[in-house]
Amino acid sequence: MSSLLNKAFLNAKKENRPALLTYTVAGDNTKKKSLEILKSISNYADICELGFPHNTPIADGGQIQTSAYRAIKNGIKINDVFSIAKNFKKSKKNTPIILMGYYNMIFQYNENKFLDKCKKSKVDGLIVVDLPYPENKSFASRCKKNGVNFIQLVSPTTSQIRLKKIIRDSHDMVYYISMLSTTGGKLKVSPKKILERYNKIKNQNKSKNVVIGFGITEKTIKSLKKADGLVVGSAICKEISKSIDRRQNTVTNVTNIVKRLRNKIQ
């Protein structure tokens, strides 16, 4: 599937840099603000990830949890997340948007209804944190039929045999979790080591776009710029929290961070 996601990676490659992926929680700190932040940062980000606020996160660190709790407190529901994505796409139709959440939420909402909503809201991809391979095979193929990329996750502990199968069955993007930690943890592994492991994944199939997430900040992003894409989430959520505490403009402050991140990988 030649998707918008693929195009975003191709454009970044033409500019000789990794694609920049941002992650924000839908509805943080309000539905309106969340959409404004998304629209503003997409001027510097290549791909935007939008998280479903969840009250029992598995992989999310403190910064993202704080964002999710704020959104839940503000009454953000699944349908609100879709309406943020849909509104975003009205003015940013060429920027890919990936929704990120947990399977139990999709299951309770109803798989068919959920995929239908994705299609109608022009969602480009899905990351389902707690639906691993091979359990995700049938859902992933249904995503593909609906024109939605299902994004497989791999980690430092993924065995070679398993890696081969995951890459073979993956769509247009594979997400490499750089270290065994929750998001926003300090980079416990040297960038050199991360890139060595990354290259092993990349060498399985050069045509697949592999991004690195977890532990990426303004300090570490430059050292990982050989990757196809880099995901920054916790640093952005932290900035939203700081701006709210200081009663500053969240949209301006978050956009400035994303702008600086983009400059570091040019």
Side-chain angles (χ1 to χ4, degrees):
M1 81 171 80
S2 178
S3 62
L4 264 189
L5 271 178
N6 245 343
K7 282 182 191 146
F9 286 109
L10 280 172
N11 289 342
K13 275 192 185 85
K14 275 181 201 152
E15 293 176 16
N16 215 2
R17 61 174 178 84
L20 177 60
L21 291 83
T22 54
Y23 171 89
T24 51
V25 174
D28 184 26
N29 63 331
T30 65
K31 193 173 156 183
K32 186 170 170 285
K33 265 281 183 288
S34 172
L35 179 61
E36 280 174 29
I37 289 170
L38 209 52
K39 281 182 179 172
S40 184
I41 63 179
S42 70
N43 293 322
Y44 304 98
D46 299 283
I47 297 165
C48 292
E49 285 182 17
L50 188 63
F52 282 94
H54 202 274
N55 59 3
T56 49
I58 296 167
D60 299 325
Q63 305 296 347
I64 291 174
Q65 282 183 35
T66 304
S67 277
Y69 294 147
R70 261 197 307 263
I72 290 166
K73 216 166 83 185
N74 285 331
I76 295 296
K77 301 280 188 283
I78 291 184
N79 284 340
D80 296 319
V81 181
F82 283 119
S83 87
I84 291 168
K86 197 174 184 173
N87 280 325
F88 172 75
K89 278 293 197 172
K90 279 178 189 162
S91 59
K92 302 279 185 175
K93 58 178 185 295
N94 294 322
T95 305
I97 193 159
I98 293 170
L99 297 186
M100 186 169 182
Y102 295 89
Y103 181 68
N104 113 7
M105 181 193 73
I106 298 170
F107 180 74
Q108 297 204 358
Y109 192 83
N110 178 294
E111 276 189 13
N112 292 332
K113 197 173 137 196
F114 187 88
L115 286 175
D116 195 47
K117 274 281 202 196
C118 283
K119 211 171 169 178
K120 283 181 177 148
S121 314
K122 298 191 165 44
V123 167
D124 299 280
L126 266 186
I127 296 174
V128 187
V129 186
D130 56 347
L131 188 61
Y133 186 87
E135 286 78 15
N136 61 33
K137 278 172 87 165
S138 84
F139 184 64
S141 77
R142 285 167 68 194
C143 285
K144 202 167 192 170
K145 281 183 191 127
N146 282 279
V148 177
N149 268 280
F150 184 89
I151 292 146
Q152 298 284 358
L153 302 168
V154 291
S155 80
T157 55
T158 307
S159 72
Q160 206 55 27
I161 299 165
R162 189 172 157 75
L163 188 62
K164 262 197 169 79
K165 291 176 181 169
I166 292 174
I167 301 287
R168 187 197 62 215
D169 284 1
S170 65
H171 299 173
D172 289 347
M173 176 180 143
V174 177
Y175 189 123
Y176 174 51
I177 296 164
S178 71
M179 56 184 182
L180 304 176
S181 162
T182 52
T183 57
K186 283 225 175 354
L187 212 53
K188 296 183 184 125
V189 190
S190 72
K192 188 171 170 260
K193 195 100 192 132
I194 290 171
L195 286 172
E196 270 171 27
R197 285 179 182 155
Y198 171 86
N199 287 332
K200 280 183 185 155
I201 300 164
K202 189 67 189 164
N203 289 337
Q204 297 280 340
N205 183 339
K206 290 278 206 305
S207 70
K208 295 281 164 101
N209 303 299
V210 184
V211 306
I212 302 175
F214 283 47
I216 295 170
T217 61
E218 286 187 61
K219 280 195 184 105
T220 58
I221 195 163
K222 207 172 177 171
S223 58
L224 294 164
K225 63 183 276 190
K226 285 194 174 77
D228 293 332
L230 296 165
V231 187
V232 183
S234 293
I236 294 171
C237 294
K238 189 179 180 178
E239 190 55 50
I240 295 174
S241 296
K242 251 163 65 179
S243 301
I244 292 167
D245 288 347
R246 293 175 181 169
R247 293 200 166 92
Q248 290 170 343
N249 188 322
T250 42
V251 181
T252 309
N253 289 0
V254 173
T255 306
N256 285 337
I257 265 208
V258 178
K259 202 173 175 175
R260 290 199 299 270
L261 287 160
R262 174 67 178 260
N263 288 335
K264 286 197 153 85
I265 53 172
Q266 289 292 50

